[in-house]
Amino acid sequence: MSMSLRVAIIEDEPATARNLQHMLQETAPEAEVLAILPGVTDAVSWLQQHAQQCDLLFMDIRLSDGLSFEIFSQVHITLPVIFITAFDDYALQAFKANGIDYILKPFDDGELKQALVKFNRLRSQSGSTDSYAQLLKIAESLKGNTTSYKQSFLVHTRDKLIPLTVAQISWFYTANEIVYAGTADNKQYIIDATMEQLQQQLDPACFFRANRQFIVQKKAILEVDFYFNGRLSLKINPPAKEQILISKARVPEFRQWMNS
């Protein structure tokens, strides 16, 4: 008989959290999701009261109200942690070396299953997966290197969710308080974010807020034409729903961005 598995998910993207919960139900039927927590504050409050009831944490690194490492300075976590993250640098290897696993977004059933196998092996062999000291050490090493931009989105298409990488997106467009992503293969998807949030999440070296309605990907720009009153007009691939204009006031900033 499989051992029970009680988990909590600390993730600020609702679609990612729902997808992970569904995958857990399919991959580990014995798993029970005790809570889905969207930020540092909620996670600290929940863990202070319920940590003893939990076996395993799934935790995003970058949350809506800060980095998940801030949780460790407020709560002594003896639970094993599997990170759900867009980070992909040398420091992540330390997680594995210290008995802590991670899965990179977008993840699939195989990666989740592999992480759970490692967790179960540690639990059965040692009876303890307390990696708190190592975790704090890694957290400190990452504090000065935490700039990580969005790598992918989970988007709805028909009756399923699919991962859409940022590299596939040519532009973001907003109308009637809905944000759309246009891809290089001329498809469009609804994105669960505001334009302001996207500005914070996207790499500014690759994306530029052209105006209130558009954020454009540099590699998708084919031509820049002069327009009336000192403005610029962008020709982009694939073509957007409306003309993309750069205001006269923002032309110097746009030129600098294109030349960088």
Side-chain angles (χ1 to χ4, degrees), residues 158-226:
R158 298 187 177 91
D159 59 347
K160 59 186 176 181
L161 291 167
I162 63 169
L164 178 67
T165 65
V166 167
Q168 294 175 266
I169 299 172
S170 297
W171 46 259
F172 295 91
Y173 168 77
T174 183
N176 301 318
E177 299 184 352
I178 299 175
V179 175
Y180 303 88
T183 61
D185 57 356
N186 206 22
K187 295 180 180 177
Q188 294 182 31
Y189 302 92
I190 294 177
I191 300 295
D192 184 18
T194 66
M195 297 293 271
E196 289 68 30
Q197 289 171 334
L198 289 173
Q199 274 189 277
Q200 299 298 318
Q201 296 171 353
L202 297 169
D203 185 350
C206 300
F207 288 88
F208 185 83
R209 181 74 181 266
N211 51 48
R212 290 184 178 181
Q213 287 186 291
F214 282 98
I215 295 175
V216 296
Q217 165 93 278
K218 182 182 290 186
K219 67 179 183 180
I221 298 174
L222 300 178
E223 291 181 4
V224 181
D225 298 323
F226 293 106

